[in-house]
Amino acid sequence: MDSKVNRLAILGSTGSIGQQTLQVVRAFPERFPVIALAAGDNLALLSQQINEFHPQYIHYHKQATQTSFKAEFLSLEEMAVLPEVDTVVVSTSGKASLTAVLAAVQAGKRIAIANKEPLVMAGEIITRQSKKHKAKIIPVDSEHSAIWQCLQGENNKPANIILTASGGPFRAFTPAQMAAVTPAQALQHPSWKMGKKVTIDSATLMNKGLEIIEAHWLFGVPFENIKIVVHPQSIIHSMVEFADGSVKAQLSSPDMRLPIQYALTYPQRWANPDLPKIDWSNLQQLVFAPPDFQKFPCLQLAIDAGKAGGTMPAVLCAADEIAVNAFLNGRIKFMDIVSVVGAALDKHRKVSDPELAEILAADAWTRDFSNKMIGKMK
Amino acid sequence: MDSKVNRLAILGSTGSIGQQTLQVVRAFPERFPVIALAAGDNLALLSQQINEFHPQYIHYHKQATQTSFKAEFLSLEEMAVLPEVDTVVVSTSGKASLTAVLAAVQAGKRIAIANKEPLVMAGEIITRQSKKHKAKIIPVDSEHSAIWQCLQGENNKPANIILTASGGPFRAFTPAQMAAVTPAQALQHPSWKMGKKVTIDSATLMNKGLEIIEAHWLFGVPFENIKIVVHPQSIIHSMVEFADGSVKAQLSSPDMRLPIQYALTYPQRWANPDLPKIDWSNLQQLVFAPPDFQKFPCLQLAIDAGKAGGTMPAVLCAADEIAVNAFLNGRIKFMDIVSVVGAALDKHRKVSDPELAEILAADAWTRDFSNKMIGKMK
């Protein structure tokens, strides 16, 4: 990549991270030419983005729709390997980009990844292929970006990773209150503005569990050395502890545009007046607490699935996706999410060292199992 | 330097930092051969150290004393340039090592510097000569080590440096209480175990002022971009803010052996079970406050002297050294320290862009001026 210009394909441009990526692009339009944009089904917003950023290639889920765009239609997988693209921004949700991420990896691309599921589902394959094809996977998630930043210039592997967790909106809830949580309550995150799926996952702490698995693959750290500290203010985004006991932390106001921009400018940092700064004269305290595994059982489910490996993390992802959707649609209660995920993990017959096809088969089995279970719960 | 073995000359081996350096050496005796030890007048402790570490060369202030050591006597300047030494640890106090530091710089040595005065007094000369002779000056002070660690792997200069300050023992004192402070009170530092001079400087915040000047020279950051945040727990040792608003902090238990070891192992980090680790399950909060410039006027005096440049920082150092000694000896009161330093800075005729001889002349003038002023105060 030319250090002055980084040509982008943005998979998931109409989602929360996609829109914030385009806000960063707006601050540096000549340095971030937008080559390709892909969206799900928000054609209205995609149309606006096409008119503003003039991508050569576009994708949207409902391809049959008639449009008058001059851009060429491509699949996500085709976009991910375009020779005129330097960096593929993966800001889709769920497993939509799994095969596109693998394609980008095999094409040796730089991949700015905000979407957890590809690495959680197929971390071993993606990691192995990245090494082989010299692809560079740069995390966009604020926690993983923090760890990535703290690891720069260090010759040693981290002794421990300390993932900070906001704790979500229900940190202080009683079990009775948790049982009665509504989608509207769960969608009110105290510090971060995010998409719906991630916001619910933050309320169950499943999101933190997925992040542990993601961190394991991104940084090659054993699960035993990935610790969680609840930090409701979301100022410290994560920390790394080294062999000598020294710890580095990365801090900033909770604004996803910063880790997005860093993933695009890495290893440089560019001044951007749009990004908020910490007000040192006003900072009074940073608070921490241990996580409550009893109240948030999804966290342990995720750690266990990560440690079990094989197809188990894919089952975790698929069951969670189905259960969160069912909760958002009012079909199950908040605490049923963990029941569905737990049952899927219990019933699944793990395949060790799986091929992509086996991961996709586990995904399909889990979706079917979870939907049937939810059907019986009504 | 061979990455496995780092041969040391320790200037100031019987002081607080010198003793802690030898504690680190004890943990890795084969990797840190002690070639030379220099002490002031604690011959008893130096003798023990010589018997344990078998240096080839020694120095102590009162050279005339008869001893039976087999080691060869050298001056500090001779020790600093020994071809068999990789790293010169500068853990003397005051200006004792100023010319030795310059000699080490001109010999292109690696210099682990714990002693603030050489950089404060002659920062411009030392910085210019380091570049010319490719000497590497690695800070040992916990704050500067933190900044150094946070800057590793970063291509960009910091936008701001945030120096944390414990605030010393008198953070919550009233002006009346401050006026009545005794040496015994001032020697009780809440979080750090240090030598007497540094402990009193921590109580007046002069120490933080000297650190600002030191940071200016070590990291090439303008005084306007060096900020102070009071953080009484001394867990975050300092922070760096980059152009994009991202901040990195370095944390650890307050134990000088960690920054000492890092200065010796850099860029590696070595596991050392003697070094304390942060207990994440017990960390509840980190607190911060703005500094009180009114209550601690030494801080502003130091910043102004640093900005004025030339011989002014040397005057600051010398007046402070004389005044702190007078306070420790019961000759002046705690709040007289700032009066002496302020008067010396007022009366001194600044020399811009000074040679070493002019810096030493300013030092001598200041010592004379300060002693006379203190004599009149009794």
Side-chain angles (χ1 to χ4, degrees):
Chain A
M1 176 190 125
D2 176 334
S3 70
K4 301 273 176 183
V5 174
N6 188 359
R7 297 165 302 169
L8 308 180
I10 304 173
L11 314 188
S13 65
T14 58
S16 172
I17 298 292
Q19 290 183 55
Q20 292 181 79
T21 302
L22 288 170
Q23 286 181 35
V24 172
V25 168
R26 273 190 201 102
F28 308 97
E30 288 172 17
R31 298 174 116 179
F32 296 131
V34 175
I35 307 299
L37 289 177
D41 42 22
N42 190 342
L43 187 60
L45 181 54
L46 180 63
S47 303
Q48 288 176 26
Q49 292 177 345
I50 292 169
N51 287 331
E52 180 178 355
F53 295 98
H54 311 291
Q56 294 165 248
Y57 307 97
I58 58 171
H59 170 90
Y60 58 92
H61 193 57
K62 296 177 183 161
Q63 194 169 339
T65 316
Q66 285 295 326
T67 65
S68 57
F69 300 130
K70 285 176 192 158
E72 186 181 336
F73 267 80
L74 291 181
S75 69
L76 294 180
E77 291 73 19
E78 289 168 327
M79 277 189 178
V81 300
L82 285 168
E84 56 266 61
V85 163
D86 301 302
T87 297
V88 179
V89 178
V90 182
S91 49
T92 41
S93 76
K95 68 173 180 121
S97 288
L98 176 55
T99 53
V101 167
L102 268 170
V105 164
Q106 284 157 358
K109 292 293 182 195
R110 179 164 163 151
I111 302 162
I113 196 158
N115 186 183
K116 293 174 183 70
E117 282 80 353
L119 270 166
V120 174
M121 292 175 72
E124 206 270 325
I125 298 174
I126 292 173
T127 308
R128 191 177 60 224
Q129 296 274 327
S130 297
K131 276 185 195 140
K132 185 174 168 190
H133 298 284
K134 297 191 168 63
K136 199 155 196 90
I137 300 181
I138 305 179
V140 168
D141 236 358
S142 61
E143 292 82 356
H144 302 84
S145 175
I147 296 161
W148 177 274
Q149 291 179 55
C150 290
L151 287 172
Q152 292 311 307
E154 295 287 344
N155 296 326
N156 304 67
K157 273 215 171 184
N160 288 296
I161 281 176
I162 298 98
L163 274 175
T164 51
S166 71
F170 308 134
R171 204 165 41 91
F173 271 38
T174 63
Q177 287 176 304
M178 296 277 281
V181 158
T182 64
Q185 283 176 297
L187 287 171
Q188 294 297 322
H189 194 273
S191 48
W192 289 102
K193 188 173 166 286
M194 302 176 291
K196 283 186 181 182
K197 165 70 164 54
V198 180
T199 305
I200 302 300
D201 281 345
S202 293
T204 61
L205 291 205
M206 178 61 87
N207 188 53
K208 206 52 53 180
L210 298 179
E211 286 175 7
I212 291 175
I213 302 174
E214 195 186 359
H216 167 77
W217 290 113
L218 278 170
F219 306 112
V221 172
F223 286 97
E224 291 71 24
N225 299 113
I226 304 175
K227 302 178 191 303
I228 301 288
V229 171
V230 174
H231 169 50
Q233 297 153 294
S234 303
I235 300 287
I236 292 185
H237 297 302
S238 276
M239 301 185 261
V240 175
E241 185 174 290
F242 297 96
D244 58 3
S246 183
V247 173
K248 279 190 198 170
Q250 187 266 339
L251 299 77
S252 66
S253 295
D255 188 313
M256 283 306 298
R257 290 173 299 172
L258 172 58
I260 292 168
Q261 179 178 308
Y262 184 70
L264 301 184
T265 65
Y266 166 84
Q268 304 298 324
R269 296 179 180 277
W270 296 354
N272 179 350
D274 298 346
L275 297 180
K277 305 287 186 291
I278 292 177
D279 179 1
W280 298 106
S281 61
N282 231 340
L283 182 68
Q284 299 192 337
Q285 58 176 359
L286 297 172
V287 298
F288 307 92
D292 187 336
F293 283 89
Q294 299 238 286
K295 199 151 90 180
F296 299 102
C298 282
L299 194 51
Q300 193 62 53
L301 282 186
I303 293 169
D304 292 344
K307 284 183 180 172
T311 46
M312 296 302 269
V315 172
L316 180 87
C317 285
D320 181 59
E321 191 177 324
I322 298 293
V324 167
N325 272 330
F327 168 68
L328 285 171
N329 295 330
R331 293 174 60 211
I332 61 172
K333 292 184 180 149
F334 186 70
M335 293 308 292
D336 291 337
I337 296 172
V338 68
S339 309
V340 172
V341 177
L345 289 165
D346 268 353
K347 291 286 175 196
H348 177 67
R349 291 191 193 165
K350 181 179 100 172
V351 179
S352 294
D353 201 14
E355 302 288 319
L356 183 62
E358 292 167 308
I359 291 170
L360 294 174
D363 175 81
W365 173 87
T366 307
R367 286 167 192 274
D368 182 58
F369 172 89
S370 306
N371 276 321
K372 282 183 183 150
M373 180 173 168
I374 289 164
K376 287 179 201 153
M377 289 170 105
K378 282 302 281 184
Chain B
M1 177 189 126
D2 176 334
S3 71
K4 302 274 175 184
V5 175
N6 188 1
R7 297 167 301 170
L8 308 180
I10 304 173
L11 313 187
S13 65
T14 58
S16 173
I17 297 293
Q19 291 184 53
Q20 292 181 79
T21 302
L22 288 170
Q23 286 181 35
V24 172
V25 169
R26 273 191 201 101
F28 308 97
E30 289 173 15
R31 299 174 115 179
F32 295 130
V34 176
I35 308 299
L37 288 178
D41 42 21
N42 190 342
L43 187 60
L45 181 54
L46 179 63
S47 302
Q48 287 176 28
Q49 293 176 345
I50 291 168
N51 288 330
E52 180 178 355
F53 295 100
H54 310 292
Q56 296 167 247
Y57 307 97
I58 58 171
H59 170 90
Y60 58 92
H61 193 56
K62 296 177 182 161
Q63 196 168 337
T65 315
Q66 283 295 329
T67 65
S68 58
F69 300 130
K70 287 176 190 159
E72 185 181 339
F73 267 80
L74 291 182
S75 69
L76 295 181
E77 291 72 20
E78 288 168 327
M79 277 190 178
V81 300
L82 284 168
E84 56 266 60
V85 163
D86 301 304
T87 297
V88 179
V89 178
V90 182
S91 49
T92 41
S93 75
K95 68 173 179 118
S97 288
L98 175 55
T99 53
V101 167
L102 268 170
V105 163
Q106 283 158 0
K109 294 291 183 196
R110 179 164 163 152
I111 302 162
I113 195 158
N115 187 183
K116 294 175 183 69
E117 281 81 354
L119 271 164
V120 174
M121 293 175 72
E124 206 270 327
I125 297 175
I126 292 174
T127 308
R128 190 178 60 227
Q129 296 274 329
S130 297
K131 276 187 195 137
K132 185 175 168 191
H133 298 283
K134 297 192 168 61
K136 200 156 197 89
I137 300 180
I138 306 179
V140 168
D141 236 357
S142 61
E143 293 81 356
H144 303 84
S145 174
I147 295 161
W148 176 275
Q149 291 180 55
C150 290
L151 287 172
Q152 293 309 309
E154 295 286 345
N155 296 327
N156 304 68
K157 274 217 172 184
N160 288 295
I161 281 176
I162 298 98
L163 274 176
T164 51
S166 71
F170 308 134
R171 205 165 40 90
F173 271 38
T174 62
Q177 287 176 304
M178 297 277 280
V181 159
T182 65
Q185 282 177 298
L187 286 171
Q188 294 297 321
H189 194 272
S191 48
W192 290 103
K193 187 174 167 289
M194 301 176 293
K196 283 186 181 183
K197 165 71 162 54
V198 180
T199 305
I200 302 301
D201 281 345
S202 294
T204 61
L205 292 205
M206 178 61 88
N207 188 52
K208 205 52 54 179
L210 298 179
E211 287 175 6
I212 291 176
I213 302 175
E214 195 185 0
H216 168 77
W217 290 113
L218 279 170
F219 306 113
V221 171
F223 286 98
E224 292 70 26
N225 299 113
I226 304 175
K227 302 178 192 302
I228 302 288
V229 171
V230 174
H231 169 50
Q233 297 153 294
S234 304
I235 299 288
I236 293 185
H237 298 300
S238 277
M239 301 185 261
V240 176
E241 185 174 290
F242 297 96
D244 59 2
S246 183
V247 173
K248 279 190 200 171
Q250 187 267 338
L251 299 77
S252 66
S253 295
D255 188 311
M256 283 306 297
R257 291 173 299 172
L258 173 57
I260 291 168
Q261 179 177 307
Y262 185 69
L264 300 183
T265 65
Y266 166 85
Q268 305 298 325
R269 295 179 181 277
W270 296 354
N272 180 349
D274 298 346
L275 297 179
K277 306 287 186 293
I278 292 178
D279 179 1
W280 298 106
S281 62
N282 231 340
L283 182 68
Q284 300 192 337
Q285 58 175 359
L286 297 171
V287 299
F288 307 93
D292 187 337
F293 283 89
Q294 299 238 288
K295 199 151 88 182
F296 299 102
C298 282
L299 194 51
Q300 192 63 53
L301 282 186
I303 294 171
D304 292 344
K307 284 184 181 172
T311 46
M312 295 302 268
V315 172
L316 181 85
C317 285
D320 181 59
E321 191 177 323
I322 298 294
V324 167
N325 272 329
F327 168 68
L328 284 172
N329 296 330
R331 296 174 59 211
I332 61 172
K333 291 185 181 151
F334 186 70
M335 294 306 294
D336 291 337
I337 297 172
V338 68
S339 309
V340 172
V341 177
L345 289 166
D346 267 354
K347 291 285 176 196
H348 177 67
R349 290 192 193 163
K350 182 178 100 171
V351 180
S352 294
D353 200 14
E355 301 289 320
L356 183 61
E358 292 167 307
I359 291 171
L360 294 174
D363 174 80
W365 173 87
T366 307
R367 285 167 193 273
D368 182 58
F369 172 88
S370 306
N371 276 320
K372 282 181 183 151
M373 180 173 169
I374 289 165
K376 287 180 204 156
M377 292 170 103
K378 282 302 281 185

